[in-house]
Amino acid sequence: MMSGRPMVDAVVVGGGPAGLTAAIALAGAGVATALVAGRPRTTDNRTTALLMGSVTALKTLGVWQRCQANAAPLRVMRIVDDTGRLLRAPEVRFEADEIGLQAFGYNIENRYLIAAMLELACEIAALEVIREDATRVTVGADAVTITLESGETVVARLAVGADGRRSACRKAAGIETERWSYPQSALTLTLRHSRPHHDISTEFHRPRGPFTLVPLPGQRSSLVFVSEPDEAARLKALPDVELAAAIEQHAHSILGKIEVEPERGLFRLAVERARTLGAHRVALVGEAGHVIPPIGAQGLNLGLRDAATIGELVATAHRQGHDPGANDLTSRYAQMRRADVTGRTLAVDLLNRSLLSEFLPLQGARGLGLTLLQHIGPLRRAAMREGVAPAAAQPRLMRGEAL
Ligand SMILES: Cc1cc2nc3c(=O)[nH]c(=O)nc-3n(C[C@H](O)[C@H](O)[C@H](O)COP(=O)(O)OP(=O)(O)OC[C@H]3O[C@@H](n4cnc5c(N)ncnc54)[C@H](O)[C@@H]3O)c2cc1C
């Protein structure tokens, strides 16, 4: 079939935050790129706590300037053991100024972040934004062909699969995943409160999962409330006033009187990990490559480091006149991302399991780890630095360097 479109260097499939970032990074570096962004769907009511490296990358790309007014700084992060168990940990406080930072990062509603990214994407000359779904992905020896709903096709040397959990790009590349789920769901919503949050995020560790309040501008915060799936569904269905009262009780009234805002989301907790992030002519970014539970604000921060890394590799290949979809590039990408993705996935999994476990030694180990973090300054500062800027993975955009 005639495609009617000239072949591009890269096609990004998926217009979530990871795909938009990859497309902006690639096209901003002059790589001819198409973004198959999908049809507009319901808005995402979640917020994202972006760590400083991600904020720096978004500033370098020109996204942050368009949405920072809607973001709140995270100056202090508290972990409070609310398990009521025999072996409880002390409260741990991480303060950004202890490692010379004004903030660990910023929390922003996904709708503002995605709108800013989409607005910028539509202004970049080297980027064509296509508001259609991909219906088929075919990986060939020299190119990848994406068939659109209209029947048209986009042909590219490299496909960046940013098409989320049920990634068609991943399937077309024959990349298998391993998956396990937890007996937990996360209820997400935003709320107003009568007391100020003082830029402090608080994670209450409860026996069925964390209950996390993260600041938004003004006297608003986002809530990720993890509990058993039935309980999460019950809470989601409560009338506003009853839900607000339940939240205030779980929050020990630290934010005063609570009022919930209208939208509520529900997400089943699971880990999903692609066996590799790179195969012949396909690179996976974001949740197409890895899904982790929403603990410790890691998921999209990992996805943005994927996007920055593939952007950096392809921009360099483009300048040198090399094929951006060649095997050596996609396998190098997979290798560069492996330690960061595996390390974060295992750490989040261990923390979540230690909360759920009735096994006393595991609860004790968790308590001991948190006690050491609270009392040993150098260890706490090392953990904070690693959290904000992982030593194993600092692509150029995260260091503020343009591609
Ligand atoms: C409750 C909760 C709280 C979270 N909080 C944080 C946090 O504070 N910090 C953090 O870093 N991370 C957080 N995360 C993780 C973060 O939300 C995800 O990592 C992020 O949304 C993934 O973005 P993505 O672009 O990879 O995928 P998605 O947002 O799923 O985007 C995929 C896109 O691909 C599109 N698509 C799919 N198939 C096709 C197709 N065939 N054609 C075209 N388009 C297609 C979809 O429509 C969608 O737009 C949280 C997650 C949860 C569940």
Side-chain angles (χ1 to χ4, degrees):
M1 192 202 300
M2 289 288 293
S3 76
R5 296 167 189 272
M7 180 162 164
V8 284
D9 293 318
V11 59
V12 179
V13 182
L20 279 158
T21 304
I24 291 168
L26 290 163
V31 177
T33 305
L35 170 65
V36 180
R39 271 179 285 120
R41 288 186 170 81
T42 48
T43 40
D44 183 345
N45 88 322
R46 284 174 296 175
T47 68
T48 299
L50 292 166
L51 299 172
M52 237 16 180
S54 299
V55 173
T56 303
L58 294 175
K59 252 185 215 164
T60 312
L61 291 172
V63 172
W64 193 242
Q65 298 76 341
R66 295 168 188 248
C67 58
Q68 61 183 348
N70 297 304
L74 305 173
R75 296 190 205 282
V76 177
M77 296 166 103
R78 296 165 69 207
I79 298 178
V80 179
D81 188 328
D82 199 16
T83 55
R85 285 176 177 149
L86 187 63
L87 298 177
R88 283 213 299 277
E91 176 181 321
V92 188
R93 257 177 99 91
F94 299 103
E95 303 195 9
D97 61 9
E98 205 186 326
I99 53 168
L101 293 176
Q102 283 195 327
F104 291 112
Y106 287 80
N107 191 37
I108 184 166
E109 288 170 70
N110 287 8
R111 62 191 168 116
Y112 290 123
L113 180 64
I114 291 168
M117 288 175 168
L118 197 55
E119 185 186 82
L120 173 60
C122 292
E123 291 172 13
I124 302 176
L127 180 59
E128 184 189 5
V129 179
I130 303 167
R131 305 288 347 228
E132 282 184 62
D133 277 3
T135 54
R136 209 159 100 202
V137 179
T138 314
V139 182
D142 302 319
V144 181
T145 303
I146 309 293
T147 308
L148 305 173
E149 286 170 297
S150 59
E152 275 194 63
T153 55
V154 179
V155 182
R157 312 279 271 178
L158 170 75
V160 176
D163 43 353
R165 297 178 181 211
R166 284 190 285 279
S167 169
C169 293
R170 187 178 69 212
K171 197 164 169 221
I175 300 174
E176 293 189 347
T177 57
E178 55 174 339
R179 180 180 200 282
W180 62 94
S181 59
Y182 306 91
Q184 294 166 302
S185 291
L187 170 67
T188 59
L189 52 101
T190 50
L191 38 95
R192 294 178 184 278
H193 36 82
S194 60
R195 288 196 197 143
H197 49 54
H198 299 297
D199 305 332
I200 300 173
S201 104
T202 308
E203 193 161 296
F204 290 98
H205 283 186
R206 307 177 62 253
R208 293 289 158 244
F211 171 100
T212 310
L213 292 159
V214 193
L216 284 170
Q219 297 207 168
R220 293 175 72 230
S221 293
S222 57
L223 171 66
V224 178
F225 187 171
V226 177
S227 54
E228 283 160 329
D230 288 351
E231 173 63 1
R234 184 190 72 80
L235 289 164
K236 182 172 182 255
L238 284 180
D240 287 0
V241 177
E242 284 177 43
L243 180 57
I247 291 170
E248 193 177 325
Q249 192 197 349
H250 287 301
H252 301 280
S253 298
I254 58 168
L255 296 176
K257 188 151 176 49
I258 302 285
E259 257 177 70
V260 298
E261 295 186 354
E263 286 163 39
R264 297 167 194 186
L266 200 58
F267 298 84
R268 190 67 202 255
L269 262 56
V271 164
E272 203 158 334
R273 201 160 40 143
R275 297 230 181 258
T276 175
L277 291 190
H280 185 62
R281 301 218 168 271
V282 176
L284 303 178
V285 301
E287 289 204 335
H290 43 77
V291 177
I292 58 175
I295 298 174
Q298 295 297 325
L300 184 57
N301 285 286
L302 273 177
L304 296 185
R305 292 200 286 277
D306 298 339
T309 305
I310 192 67
E312 184 174 325
L313 289 174
V314 173
T316 305
H318 177 72
R319 274 195 296 276
Q320 295 170 347
H322 295 158
D323 177 354
N327 261 334
D328 56 349
L329 189 144
T330 51
S331 16
R332 180 151 165 64
Y333 166 69
Q335 182 234 325
M336 284 171 79
R337 295 299 302 135
R338 186 164 297 132
D340 191 20
V341 172
T342 308
R344 307 267 146 181
T345 306
L346 295 180
V348 168
D349 177 59
L350 185 65
L351 187 57
N352 195 30
R353 280 180 201 271
S354 72
L355 270 182
L356 291 174
S357 174
E358 296 299 334
F359 185 51
L360 215 55
L362 191 53
Q363 291 176 13
R366 184 180 143 271
L368 178 65
L370 291 173
T371 307
L372 294 176
L373 281 175
Q374 177 59 19
H375 293 297
I376 304 181
L379 186 65
R380 186 173 59 251
R381 288 188 282 279
M384 287 192 270
R385 285 194 195 96
E386 177 61 21
V388 173
Q394 273 300 74
R396 281 173 53 187
L397 283 173
M398 270 66 195
R399 288 184 261 130
E401 296 166 26
L403 297 184

